[in-house]
Amino acid sequence: MASGSSQCNKIKPVIVVHGGAGAVMQEYEDRYRAGVKKAALGGYDILKNGGDAVTAVEEAVVIMEDDPHFNAGYGSVLNEEGEVEMDAIIMSGKDLASGAVSAVRCIANPIKLARLVMEKTDHLLLTDRGASQFAKLQGIPEIPGETLITERSRERWKKNQKPGSNPVASQLGLGTVGAVAVDSEGNVACATSTGGLTNKMAGRVGDTPCIGSGGYADNNIGAVSTTGHGETIMKVVLARLILHYMERGMSLEEAADEGLKYMKTRVDGSGGVIVVNSAGEWTAKFSTKHMTWAAVKDDCLQCGIHQGDNEIVPLSEIL
Ligand code: ASP
């Protein structure tokens, strides 16, 4: 658990990112920490230079999609046919505009395509063939699907082919990515991107691209990005549920805890969330063993993986 709050009236930009909830193997911890820190710093750089929250969360997610350690973009897990199919969503809290793609293949950055859906179409979600046609029209290069596959995700997939394998166990340590931010105007945004679950059925769409489940952003309340078992997140519409609790007066921490608790008790699901509001408060909470997260505010970087972790590094020591 970690959180922060504003000390004065002026909105200070904030970005929080996650690199997935689950159980991270110790040998990978440093790489995960480095990955979320880089993403948070990349997004914060945009906010600090007067950029908007949507651009900041997109940038942070692109950085993690390009990082082979995360289950998004390059490094995505494989479906039962041994192929990468990815989901992503982006949302602007200013006008509730959002864009999402599901089951997309052969592109490097699904989050960029989701943003184009938001900005260039009258729709909220494009899938599969229509999404790739739209990507081509927008000039997004098509790449061979195999170039998104890492040795690690291939190995995981192979293990799952063995009789008696446990797909949930083999998912451990493979992280969906997400970001939430508030810019200096007080606008909030969220973005989430994933390769989904290892060995999922071809065509399976999880929570990530579903508005209210994988993410939600509304300046009047805040922004949330989620991670965890998609089918259970969808059942409780986790991102919007947490914002609903905040609307009813709970703090960010209370709302995140309550949402995760409801998902556990009602449908036996575990996961993690990152939350901001337009006052610049933020939190990162998870009911799994681990969730990799990082946040930047007030020129200070915070990061964690285990419950209770909170490494604090002033940006002056990094830059
Ligand atoms: N929520 C993602 C999905 O079910 C997986 C994850 O967050 O790890 O597609």
Side-chain angles (χ1 to χ4, degrees):
M1 184 283 290
S3 55
S5 63
S6 267
Q7 300 298 312
C8 63
N9 291 333
K10 192 172 171 281
I11 304 300
K12 292 185 175 165
V14 182
I15 186 153
V16 190
V17 307
H18 70 74
V24 177
M25 282 183 281
Q26 213 180 351
E27 64 196 279
Y28 289 109
E29 277 194 17
D30 288 349
R31 279 174 261 182
Y32 271 93
R33 274 183 207 274
V36 288
K37 284 179 183 172
K38 186 175 172 199
L41 290 169
Y44 188 68
D45 207 40
I46 287 173
L47 296 170
K48 240 198 133 181
N49 289 307
D52 61 276
V54 171
T55 305
V57 292
E58 181 189 17
E59 174 65 12
V61 165
V62 164
I63 291 170
M64 292 185 283
E65 285 178 336
D66 291 343
D67 183 331
H69 297 103
F70 296 107
N71 172 19
Y74 176 47
S76 287
V77 300
L78 308 186
N79 68 14
E80 62 182 3
E81 293 175 356
E83 288 178 343
V84 167
E85 284 187 338
M86 302 165 291
D87 301 333
I89 189 167
I90 193 160
M91 184 162 182
S92 161
K94 193 175 179 178
D95 51 3
L96 307 192
S98 75
V101 290
S102 68
V104 290
R105 299 158 182 239
C106 304
I107 58 165
N109 297 110
I111 200 67
K112 289 189 183 174
L113 188 58
R115 183 164 183 180
L116 288 167
V117 171
M118 174 170 87
E119 290 177 348
K120 309 272 187 202
T121 79
D122 293 331
H123 306 304
L124 261 61
L125 170 60
L126 289 182
T127 193
D128 198 7
R129 191 173 57 89
S132 30
Q133 281 168 358
F134 175 66
K136 266 185 217 136
L137 274 177
Q138 293 298 320
I140 292 193
E142 193 174 284
I143 54 169
E146 305 81 66
T147 56
L148 295 169
I149 300 177
T150 58
E151 203 41 52
R152 192 174 168 216
S153 51
R154 174 91 61 207
E155 284 307 312
R156 294 281 173 133
W157 178 75
K158 276 193 200 150
K159 262 191 207 158
N160 270 307
Q161 306 306 304
K162 293 185 186 145
S165 67
N166 176 352
V168 174
S170 65
Q171 182 78 7
L172 299 180
L174 291 168
T176 288
V177 306
V180 291
V182 52
D183 60 31
S184 49
E185 308 274 299
N187 294 311
V188 299
C190 70
T192 313
S193 181
T194 188
L197 300 180
T198 302
N199 233 35
K200 64 186 180 182
M201 287 174 70
R204 177 266 187 186
V205 174
D207 59 305
T208 299
C210 297
I211 187 167
S213 290
Y216 200 85
D218 181 345
N219 279 4
N220 292 342
I221 325 164
V224 180
S225 168
T226 67
T227 170
H229 182 241
E231 281 68 10
T232 48
I233 290 175
M234 288 157 97
K235 284 178 186 169
V236 301
V237 197
L238 185 62
R240 193 61 185 80
L241 178 66
I242 288 168
L243 293 174
H244 166 74
Y245 289 140
M246 284 162 63
E247 271 177 310
R248 284 174 44 184
M250 286 188 194
S251 69
L252 281 71
E253 291 80 11
E254 287 166 348
D257 280 341
E258 201 57 31
L260 289 168
K261 192 168 118 196
Y262 185 75
M263 188 164 86
K264 184 74 202 161
T265 51
R266 191 71 180 89
V267 289
D268 197 23
S270 302
V273 298
I274 49 175
V275 190
V276 292
N277 67 11
S278 47
E281 295 171 325
W282 65 272
T283 194
K285 294 273 192 159
F286 48 104
S287 55
T288 45
K289 193 170 179 202
H290 302 141
M291 180 176 81
T292 319
W293 62 269
V296 190
K297 181 179 177 178
D298 286 338
D299 288 335
C300 192
L301 172 70
Q302 290 173 246
C303 174
I305 293 186
H306 304 254
Q307 296 285 354
D309 259 5
N310 193 2
E311 178 192 352
I312 303 177
V313 190
L315 292 198
S316 54
E317 285 179 18
I318 304 171
L319 304 172

